Amino acid sequence: MGAQLAKSGGGRRRGRRNNRRSAMSDINVTPMVDVMLVLLVIFMVAAPLMTVGVEVDLPETSAAPMTGQDEPLVVSVSREGTIYIMDSEIAQDTLTEKLAAITDNKADTRIFVRGDKAIDYGRVMEVMGLIKDAGFSKVALIAELPQKGS
């Protein structure tokens, strides 16, 4: 009879276990979507601030903008005369080696030169001359379009 009680007691426990709720397998994604939307807004606001690069006050021109398929390489000359490739400051004597390394010696790479309008025109032409002497044939200046109101 003791064996029968042990069996019946075990059965009762099993019966209670079946009456419990089963594990919930659904995932609530609402908090995750809320966090993603907040991150999206933060990145949308911060993205334009990250693309500023070197601060250069460009001169204005009424020439039509150039169009091209590949991403150009930008060389900037700051107000102080410092040379930058994209956002990295470099020395003038290493300009040609760095350009050759970045472009894998492709002479047809488009290179845009941005010069601050307060800097001496000769300094910008000196940088363009160095780039031309290095064998790059597609070198152009960048300027801003004039404002419609002025």
Side-chain angles (χ1 to χ4, degrees):
M1 184 159 153
Q4 288 177 346
L5 286 177
K7 285 183 181 177
S8 64
R12 277 188 231 139
R13 285 189 200 134
R14 240 179 287 162
R16 271 192 249 154
R17 187 174 291 165
N18 288 338
N19 289 337
R20 291 183 186 165
R21 289 187 170 175
S22 62
M24 187 175 184
S25 62
D26 293 334
I27 297 175
N28 187 3
V29 296
T30 305
M32 183 181 70
V33 171
D34 291 343
V35 169
M36 289 297 151
L37 287 174
V38 168
L39 288 174
L40 177 68
V41 169
I42 290 171
F43 286 126
M44 286 173 56
V45 170
L49 301 175
M50 292 187 291
T51 59
V52 172
V54 180
E55 185 65 35
V56 175
D57 189 15
L58 294 174
E60 296 179 355
T61 182
S62 59
M66 292 176 50
T67 57
Q69 289 77 19
D70 58 338
E71 178 82 18
L73 186 61
V74 178
V75 175
S76 301
V77 183
S78 69
R79 182 179 298 256
E80 295 80 27
T82 310
I83 302 172
Y84 295 85
I85 295 180
M86 301 307 258
D87 293 334
S88 303
E89 181 179 342
I90 61 157
Q92 179 174 334
D93 55 346
T94 62
L95 175 66
T96 55
E97 294 102 25
K98 298 252 185 189
L99 287 175
I102 291 171
T103 61
D104 294 328
N105 292 321
K106 295 180 186 172
D108 62 338
T109 303
R110 291 186 308 143
I111 299 177
F112 289 164
V113 178
R114 298 172 59 218
D116 195 284
K117 68 180 177 183
I119 194 163
D120 182 33
Y121 180 72
R123 177 71 174 140
V124 177
M125 289 294 102
E126 182 183 357
V127 171
M128 284 188 71
L130 287 171
I131 295 170
K132 282 285 212 183
D133 290 343
F136 295 99
S137 57
K138 296 182 178 180
V139 182
L141 289 171
I142 295 180
E144 287 184 343
L145 292 173
Q147 300 296 326
K148 298 291 181 188
S150 33

